[in-house]
């Protein structure tokens, strides 16, 4: 409201200035986007393989054994319904989704067709996906 009364004279005028003001928002959006992509990478195959009650948390949570996770996907399955291959697919698709997110966002940035205001968010998104992928691989 104060900006409207002052004619918005205090707002940044260039894309570079706006990007500097949006750094905390870009980092937050990219982080939660990366965690959501990773957890979605677990949830979608779980649903496709017939899991019941899939729940995705993008906030830090503890699993049933008390282990801490930055994001957590839980699902219920019928005893004997999932094979070891099914569990492997569900467990590996989270990091795989992050790898695809990292590569896709880097390729989008290389096209030079993305609006300048979206480029910092995509860069942070790529970085968080890269960190998440290599963390899980190592």
């Amino acid at each position: 409201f104060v900006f409207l009364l002052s004619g918005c004279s205090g707002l940044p005028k260039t894309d570079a200035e706006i990007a500097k003001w949006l750094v905390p928002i870009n980092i937050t959006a990219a982080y939660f986007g990366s965690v959501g992509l990773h957890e979605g990478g677990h949830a979608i195959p779980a649903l496709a393989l017939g899991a019941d009650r899939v729940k995705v948390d993008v906030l830090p949570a503890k699993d049933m054994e008390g282990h801490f996770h930055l994001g957590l996907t839980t699902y219920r399955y019928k005893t004997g319904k999932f094979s070891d291959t099914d569990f492997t697919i569900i467990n590996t698709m989270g990091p795989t989704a992050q790898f695809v997110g990292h590569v896709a966002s880097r390729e989008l940035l290389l096209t030079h067709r993305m609006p300048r205001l979206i480029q910092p968010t995509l860069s942070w998104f790529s970085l968080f996906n890269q960190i998440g992928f290599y963390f899980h691989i190592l």
Side-chain angles (χ1 to χ4, degrees):
F1 185 70
V2 171
F3 286 128
L4 292 175
L5 289 177
S6 66
C8 299
S9 62
L11 290 176
K13 301 290 188 235
T14 65
D15 289 348
E17 290 177 28
I18 293 171
K20 288 177 188 174
W21 282 94
L22 292 178
V23 166
I25 294 169
N26 288 335
I27 291 173
T28 303
Y31 170 76
F32 284 111
S34 176
V35 171
L37 180 65
H38 176 93
E39 298 307 325
H42 292 305
I44 291 170
L47 286 169
L49 293 170
D52 296 331
R53 289 194 219 166
V54 175
K55 181 182 174 196
V56 175
D57 290 318
V58 294
L59 297 175
K62 289 187 177 183
D63 60 16
M64 296 181 78
E65 289 92 31
H67 298 116
F68 178 76
H69 300 274
L70 294 176
L72 185 64
T73 299
T74 56
Y75 54 91
R76 192 182 72 175
Y77 58 93
K78 295 178 183 171
T79 305
K81 185 169 184 177
F82 284 168
S83 67
D84 288 341
T85 303
D86 294 339
F87 285 120
T88 301
I89 290 170
I90 293 169
N91 290 334
T92 58
M93 285 307 293
T96 302
Q98 282 190 307
F99 179 74
V100 170
H102 165 62
V103 172
S105 55
R106 295 307 303 165
E107 289 300 318
L108 279 172
L109 288 169
L110 289 174
T111 64
H112 300 292
R113 293 178 185 251
M114 298 304 296
R116 291 190 64 188
L117 290 176
I118 295 174
Q119 291 176 8
T121 307
L122 269 178
S123 296
W124 283 107
F125 181 71
S126 174
L127 177 65
F128 285 127
N129 281 317
Q130 183 180 19
I131 291 169
F133 173 72
Y134 286 114
F135 172 79
H136 283 89
I137 295 301
L138 295 175

